[in-house]
């Protein structure tokens, strides 16, 4: 709506309008048109529910969120990462042990799996994107969220979790990817990541390789150290860097979705 | 019972421990616990050799560290059962952070600070050790214990490797699950493409219930109903066969024979003879039938040409068509809408409201219905459709108010404009990126002025758009913008938007 009506007003109101429209366009591109703030009560309820013994609590929490008008996209993109961060903080302050954190993370991943729009099939000419979690990694939640968000943008995404070197070489030999995104959280040891990127490069010389995840909190310049092309944790930036264009996914009927 | 708090001074001597002072004497003999704290009774005052103390401490935990207040390891005691390939007694003299990984270091430093300030109530801390070269070692859970007045303290560590191994198994199981899910997703995609591209009418039927569990678009067309109207309904009934018809038994029998023979039935609902080619298989312990349908004679249409075209538009049209009652209840929706909204079953729409699928909910619904009932129609209303799975897409709705039937209803034609929006947005963006005008602007005014004016323009544009969208319905516009009616009025006046409509 803004696009359509905006252009005529720009001419009548001069430069400030053009600038404002540009600002709005940038704002929309950066934060999307969806909500960016979480509802604290729902967040708290979801966090409690991922620890609950019975899964019904989780179902109830999700139902309540849906009833409050929170979309699956918001649950996946805002609430699940927020709960994951809170779990990390709980571990840091020893309010929760690492087994508790692992189980809760696994539940969060289950949420992403259930709510991700798996009924969407990319168009045949949609850009192909590979999302990889290196072999030594413990955390796959970030990659699952990223995959679901890229798929929602209509991209054809292949998610590869902890592949061994042979698997990785075989897949990348077949090529055809427009971008490769690596999700890594190991800030201690960059060597496996660098080795993996070297393997990926062998067969994909021109494909941009991006690195994201908490690995970017490493003290050094991760991008240079692991010889990636780019390092970012911003989805829109990643899409822009890779020159990927979103497509509207084709909708087809899922056999069953929960 | 009167009990004195325990008091002891322990000081390291090499790798052993010296006790300078025994625990204070208790007035009552043999008292061991009071208020949950350990104390000694007079007759049990320990006089223990330093070496024995070391052994006792080590046996209480897997690793005991005697620490200085600046976080250095003064002494290491190891339980004989603790397995470790690295010689951790070499930690002595080093800061503990030298053998902690990057996540554990700040965690330990913070906890140490808390402990030194207030030794009570500090939670045990889980730390991941690494060797001096940065190679990962093992996770430990340490509790902190004040032992003297000279600032030294004890950290009693439990080896978390057994739990860590379970956690690794959990992580592996989780990843295996994710991999399975990805594989299933691929199979789903193959199945859907196969079903959609097949020129045969294919229906899956559960042999036990006789209900249709899935079908392709060709089959839906063949049976003259939307896919949603077929799923979970009885196959025989959808062919117009009477209740109790033995169709399913005949199909099972036919497919169980050595040479599978087709089953022919006259389907009253289709006004045609239908040939069914069944294949029997088992899935999740239940018998399923895959039925390929063929017509044996030409179907006679019960509609005239216009009705036929309209019906075809409803069934096969690219735009979503939805009929709703005046209170917003969905009366019927076509396949295109079901597909847009990711609703698998038309029955799932029964009793539901149009507003549930619109991004602004009842605000959208009220705007559309009020305008359409007043003017007879409302064209090109832009909003977003929220699918059953929460995904969103840009849509435009053209609404007509129908008075044809016994009750008035609204007909909504819903067009997916997300693809065109994408191209429009891209075109818009490229024409907007004119940095030279921004450069000029920056030279001419202060940042504060630019920001204030930009804010005003943005505000005005949003308000204008909301007013346009709601056809000047200020209540709806205010609700859409999250403003009170009063605030909206003030802003309308501020931007000179009141004159337009008086």
């Amino acid at each position: 709506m803004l696009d359509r009506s905006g252009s005529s007003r720009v001419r009548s109101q001069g430069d400030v309008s053009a600038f404002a429209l540009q600002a709005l366009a940038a704002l929309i591109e950066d934060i999307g048109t969806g909500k960016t703030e979480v509802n604290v009560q729902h967040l708290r309820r979801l966090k409690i529910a991922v620890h609950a013994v019975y899964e019904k609590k989780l179902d109830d929490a999700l139902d309540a969120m849906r009833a409050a008008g929170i979309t699956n996209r918001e649950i996946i993109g805002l609430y699940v990462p927020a709960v994951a961060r809170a779990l990390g903080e709980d571990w840091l302050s020893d309010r929760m042990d690492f087994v508790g954190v692992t189980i809760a993370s696994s539940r969060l991943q289950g949420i992403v799996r259930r709510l991700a729009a798996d009924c969407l099939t990319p168009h045949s000419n949609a850009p192909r994107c590979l999302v990889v979690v290196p072999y030594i990694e413990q955390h796959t939640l970030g990659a699952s969220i990223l995959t679901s968000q890229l798929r929602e943008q209509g991209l054809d995404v292949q998610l590869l979790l902890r592949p061994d070197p042979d698997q990785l070489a075989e897949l990348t030999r077949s090529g055809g990817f427009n971008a490769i995104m690596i999700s890594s959280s190991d800030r201690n040891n960059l060597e496996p990541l660098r080795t993996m990127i070297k393997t990926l490069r062998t067969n994909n010389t021109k494909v941009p390789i991006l690195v994201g995840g908490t690995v970017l909190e490493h003290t050094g310049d991760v991008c240079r150290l692991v010889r990636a092309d780019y390092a970012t944790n911003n989805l829109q930036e990643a899409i822009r860097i890779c020159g990927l264009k979103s497509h509207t996914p084709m909708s087809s009927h899922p056999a069953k979705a929960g | 019972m009167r009990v004195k708090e325990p008091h002891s001074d322990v000081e390291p001597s090499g790798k052993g421990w010296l006790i300078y002072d025994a625990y204070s004497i208790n007035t009552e003999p043999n008292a061991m616990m009071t208020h949950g704290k350990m104390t000694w009774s007079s007759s049990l005052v320990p006089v223990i050799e330093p070496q024995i103390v070391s052994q006792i401490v080590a046996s209480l935990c897997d690793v005991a560290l005697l620490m200085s207040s600046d976080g250095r390891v003064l002494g290491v005691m190891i339980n004989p059962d603790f397995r470790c390939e690295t010689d951790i007694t070499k930690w002595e003299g080093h800061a503990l952070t030298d053998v902690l990984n990057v996540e554990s270091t700040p965690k330990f430093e913070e906890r140490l600070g808390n402990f030194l300030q207030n030794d009570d109530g500090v939670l045990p801390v889980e730390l991941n050790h690494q060797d001096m070269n940065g190679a990962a070692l093992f996770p430990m859970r340490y509790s902190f214990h004040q032992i003297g007045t000279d600032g030294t303290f004890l950290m009693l560590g439990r080896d978390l490797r057994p739990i860590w191994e379970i956690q690794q198994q959990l992580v592996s199981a989780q990843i295996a699950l994710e991999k399975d899910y990805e594989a299933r997703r691929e199979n789903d995609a193959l199945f859907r493409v196969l079903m959609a591209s097949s020129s045969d009418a294919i229906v899956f039927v559960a042999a036990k219930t006789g209900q249709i569990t899935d079908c392709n678009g060709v089959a839906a067309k063949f049976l003259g109903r939307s896919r949603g109207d077929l799923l979970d309904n009885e196959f025989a009934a959808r062919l117009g066969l009477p209740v109790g018809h033995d169709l399913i038994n005949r199909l099972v029998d036919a497919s169980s024979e050595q040479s599978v023979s087709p089953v022919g039935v006259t389907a009253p609902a289709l006004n045609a003879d239908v040939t069914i080619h069944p294949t029997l298989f088992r899935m999740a312990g239940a018998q399923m039938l895959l039925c390929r349908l063929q017509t044996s004679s030409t179907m006679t249409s019960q509609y005239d040409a216009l009705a036929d075209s309209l019906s075809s538009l409803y069934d096969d049209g690219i735009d979503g068509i939805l009929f709703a009652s005046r209170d917003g209840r969905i009366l019927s929706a076509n396949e295109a809408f079901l597909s847009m909204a990711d609703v698998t079953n038309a029955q799932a729409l029964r009793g539901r409201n149009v507003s549930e699928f619109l991004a602004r909910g009842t605000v959208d619904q009220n705007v559309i219905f009020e305008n359409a009932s007043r003017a007879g129609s409302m064209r090109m209303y832009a909003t977003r459709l929220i699918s059953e799975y929460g995904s969103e897409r840009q849509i435009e709705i053209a609404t007509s108010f129908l008075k044809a039937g016994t009750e008035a209803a609204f007909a909504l034609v819903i067009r997916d404009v997300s693809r065109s929006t994408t191209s429009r947005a891209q075109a818009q963006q490229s024409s907007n990126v004119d940095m030279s005008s921004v450069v000029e602007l920056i030279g001419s005014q202060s940042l504060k002025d630019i920001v204030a004016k930009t804010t005003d323009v943005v505000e005005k544009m949003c308000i204008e758009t909301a007013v346009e969208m709601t056809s000047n319905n200020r209540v709806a516009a205010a609700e859409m913008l999250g403003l009170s009616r009063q605030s909206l009025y003030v802003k309308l006046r501020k931007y000179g938007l009141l004159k337009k409509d008086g």
Side-chain angles (χ1 to χ4, degrees):
Chain A
M1 306 147 290
L2 283 176
D3 301 339
R4 213 167 37 217
S5 50
S7 55
S8 59
R9 288 184 201 131
V10 168
R11 281 189 291 277
S12 62
Q13 295 181 8
D15 286 347
V16 181
S17 292
F19 189 49
L21 202 57
Q22 208 169 352
L24 266 186
L27 197 69
I28 289 164
E29 196 179 330
D30 267 7
I31 63 172
T33 46
K35 291 176 206 139
T36 52
E37 283 179 10
V38 294
N39 174 306
V40 180
Q41 278 181 336
H42 283 296
L43 183 67
R44 198 175 299 143
R45 183 167 175 185
L46 185 64
K47 184 168 171 260
I48 292 168
V50 294
H51 299 306
V53 178
Y54 299 107
E55 231 171 300
K56 185 166 183 316
K57 267 202 166 176
L58 191 54
D59 293 340
D60 291 347
L62 291 172
D63 285 347
M65 291 171 84
R66 297 293 308 278
I70 300 168
T71 63
N72 286 352
R73 182 196 288 179
E74 286 159 3
I75 296 174
I76 293 173
L78 294 174
Y79 286 81
V80 169
V83 174
R85 275 192 295 275
L87 292 175
E89 283 160 17
D90 278 357
W91 180 77
L92 282 177
S93 55
D94 286 287
R95 286 193 294 268
M96 192 185 295
D97 60 24
F98 63 71
V99 175
V101 172
T102 304
I103 291 169
S105 305
S106 154
R107 291 236 174 105
L108 287 178
Q109 198 137 358
I111 294 177
V112 176
R113 204 167 44 231
R114 272 167 62 188
L115 302 188
D118 66 347
C119 47
L120 301 177
T121 311
H123 279 268
S124 51
N125 58 351
R128 280 190 80 203
C129 184
L130 178 67
V131 174
V132 198
V133 175
Y135 190 69
I136 53 153
E137 292 288 336
Q138 299 282 314
H139 305 291
T140 55
L141 180 60
S144 298
I145 293 172
L146 172 68
T147 302
S148 122
Q149 288 174 328
L150 290 170
R151 280 177 182 154
E152 186 138 289
Q153 302 270 333
L155 304 182
D156 177 9
V157 188
Q158 183 157 6
L159 174 63
L160 200 56
L161 297 173
R162 304 209 303 191
D164 59 42
D166 291 344
Q167 261 181 305
L168 194 66
E170 195 186 322
L171 183 78
T172 53
R173 237 193 315 275
S174 59
F177 292 108
N178 299 86
I180 298 174
M181 300 189 189
I182 304 168
S183 167
S184 174
S185 55
D186 194 338
R187 291 181 275 164
N188 296 296
N189 187 2
L190 297 179
E191 194 48 44
L193 189 54
R194 183 169 33 222
T195 312
M196 199 183 88
I197 290 176
K198 203 173 162 189
T199 311
L200 288 167
R201 282 255 186 260
T202 321
N203 299 305
N204 298 275
T205 45
K206 289 180 185 163
V207 183
I209 298 179
L210 275 80
V211 174
T214 46
V215 69
L216 302 191
E217 290 164 21
H218 185 276
T219 44
D221 176 0
V222 175
C223 192
R224 191 181 53 78
L225 290 173
V226 301
R227 302 197 180 118
D229 295 312
Y230 303 97
T232 179
N233 276 332
N234 181 311
L235 175 74
Q236 296 303 334
E237 194 185 343
I239 290 177
R240 195 168 48 234
I241 287 170
C242 298
L244 304 173
K245 286 199 175 75
S246 339
H247 284 55
T248 307
M250 291 195 295
S251 182
S252 48
H253 300 283
K256 174 91 184 159
Chain B
M1 182 171 68
R2 195 163 57 84
V3 182
K4 278 193 171 182
E5 285 298 303
H7 169 74
S8 68
D9 279 332
V10 181
E11 190 179 271
S13 169
K15 286 182 189 173
W17 299 71
L18 281 176
I19 297 182
Y20 288 126
D21 192 3
Y23 288 86
S24 300
I25 295 171
N26 193 329
T27 51
E28 275 184 54
N30 301 324
M32 290 294 287
M33 295 285 288
T34 176
H35 303 297
K37 291 186 177 181
M38 181 72 86
T39 185
W40 296 100
S41 62
S42 61
S43 57
L44 292 173
V45 173
V47 180
I48 311 170
E49 291 297 322
Q51 197 55 41
I52 307 282
V53 174
S54 284
Q55 286 172 10
I56 292 171
V57 171
S59 68
L60 286 172
C61 54
D62 294 305
V63 172
L65 304 176
L66 180 70
M67 302 288 298
S68 67
S69 58
D70 60 354
R72 271 182 314 111
V73 181
L74 300 174
V76 178
M77 284 158 290
I78 305 167
N79 188 313
D81 295 332
F82 179 70
R83 318 168 267 123
C84 184
E85 286 163 9
T86 313
D87 180 8
I88 63 172
T89 56
K90 288 187 178 161
W91 292 357
E92 284 175 359
H94 287 276
L96 188 63
T97 50
D98 291 348
V99 289
L100 292 179
N101 77 3
V102 71
E103 285 94 7
S104 295
T105 301
K107 191 174 170 180
F108 168 68
E109 284 169 345
E110 190 198 336
R111 205 58 53 82
L112 177 63
N114 292 344
F115 173 68
L116 293 175
Q117 277 173 9
N118 170 24
D119 61 344
D120 282 334
V122 173
L123 289 170
V125 62
E126 283 184 4
L127 301 174
N128 286 313
H129 283 293
Q130 60 180 26
D131 66 16
M132 303 283 180
N133 302 318
L137 284 180
F138 43 78
M140 293 285 275
R141 182 181 175 86
Y142 289 105
S143 54
F144 292 79
H145 305 274
Q146 202 72 262
I147 53 168
T149 51
D150 60 347
T152 56
F153 61 96
L154 257 186
M155 285 172 68
L156 300 184
R158 280 262 168 241
D159 183 7
L160 292 181
R161 274 177 298 183
I163 301 170
W164 180 78
E165 278 157 15
I166 294 170
Q167 186 230 15
Q168 287 305 297
Q169 287 166 3
L170 265 174
V171 169
S172 299
Q174 172 73 36
I175 286 171
L177 199 68
E178 293 299 321
K179 285 181 175 173
D180 280 352
Y181 166 69
E182 284 296 307
R184 197 213 78 187
R185 219 181 156 274
E186 283 171 22
N187 286 334
D188 271 3
L190 290 177
F191 172 73
R192 287 198 297 266
V193 171
L194 183 67
M195 286 282 273
S197 62
S198 170
S199 55
D200 285 341
I202 298 172
V203 177
F204 286 95
V205 179
K208 192 177 174 188
T209 59
Q211 286 180 342
I212 299 172
T213 59
D214 208 345
C215 70
N216 65 353
V218 182
K221 200 172 176 184
F222 185 96
L223 294 169
R225 288 172 182 269
S226 72
R227 184 175 174 278
D229 212 10
L230 291 169
L231 297 188
D232 300 330
N233 281 295
E234 282 193 30
F235 182 40
R238 286 297 180 250
L239 290 169
L241 300 173
V243 179
H245 193 278
D246 65 343
L247 173 69
I248 302 298
N249 289 338
R250 282 177 60 197
L251 291 172
V252 171
D253 290 346
S255 54
S256 309
E257 289 165 11
Q258 288 269 321
S259 57
V260 177
S261 50
V263 173
V265 287
T266 301
L270 310 178
N271 202 11
D273 289 332
V274 176
T275 308
I276 306 170
H277 300 265
T279 306
L280 189 67
F281 65 100
R282 279 198 163 271
M283 192 173 72
Q287 281 192 321
M288 294 288 297
L289 283 161
L290 165 76
C291 302
R292 267 191 313 118
L293 313 182
Q294 279 178 341
T295 176
S296 321
S297 62
T298 317
M299 280 191 256
T300 348
S301 170
Q302 49 184 305
Y303 304 108
D304 61 18
L306 175 63
D308 206 14
S309 302
L310 282 174
S311 151
S312 175
L313 175 68
Y314 183 81
D315 290 339
D316 307 325
I318 194 164
D319 290 333
I321 301 175
L322 187 150
F323 293 97
S325 63
R326 294 194 79 152
D327 59 358
R329 222 166 6 92
I330 296 174
L331 301 172
S332 60
N334 72 343
E335 192 64 25
F337 177 79
L338 296 183
S339 165
M340 246 185 239
D342 291 326
V343 176
T344 46
N345 190 334
Q347 285 179 330
L349 289 177
R350 242 173 239 166
R352 293 178 69 178
N353 237 282
V354 179
S355 60
E356 289 177 41
F357 293 94
L358 301 176
R360 301 183 203 93
T362 48
V363 176
D364 275 339
Q365 186 183 305
N366 292 342
V367 170
I368 295 170
F369 283 17
E370 274 174 31
N371 280 286
S373 51
R374 201 170 51 218
S377 64
M378 186 190 196
R379 64 174 71 206
M380 304 289 270
Y381 179 79
T383 184
R384 279 168 294 125
L385 181 92
I386 309 288
S387 84
E388 197 76 328
Y389 303 110
S391 63
E392 296 178 14
R393 64 181 74 207
Q394 299 280 344
I395 51 164
E396 280 177 355
I397 308 176
T399 308
S400 308
F401 186 48
L402 307 178
K403 292 172 190 157
T406 48
E407 278 181 44
F410 292 100
L412 284 73
V413 176
I414 299 165
R415 183 161 290 173
D416 180 351
V417 292
S418 45
R419 298 194 80 178
S420 51
T421 309
T422 311
S423 54
R424 255 186 289 177
Q426 280 164 357
Q428 182 79 37
Q429 203 182 327
S430 56
S431 66
N432 275 339
V433 181
D434 177 9
M435 287 313 288
S436 61
S437 63
V438 180
V439 171
E440 279 175 33
L441 193 66
I442 287 167
S444 65
Q445 300 181 44
S446 75
L447 177 64
K448 202 176 165 189
D449 287 345
I450 294 173
V451 172
K453 283 179 185 168
T454 311
T455 310
D456 282 353
V457 174
V458 170
E459 202 170 68
K460 187 183 174 195
M461 276 161 49
C462 293
I463 291 171
E464 269 185 304
T465 309
V467 169
E468 266 175 34
M469 278 174 69
T470 57
S471 302
N472 201 25
N473 178 337
R474 288 189 194 151
V475 178
E479 196 175 340
M480 215 176 242
L481 292 163
L483 292 174
S484 67
R485 284 170 70 181
Q486 185 61 27
S487 307
L488 178 64
Y489 183 79
V490 170
K491 286 184 192 296
L492 286 169
R493 195 165 52 188
K494 175 180 172 187
Y495 297 118
L497 299 172
L498 276 177
K499 283 172 281 175
K500 273 186 196 173
D501 36 84

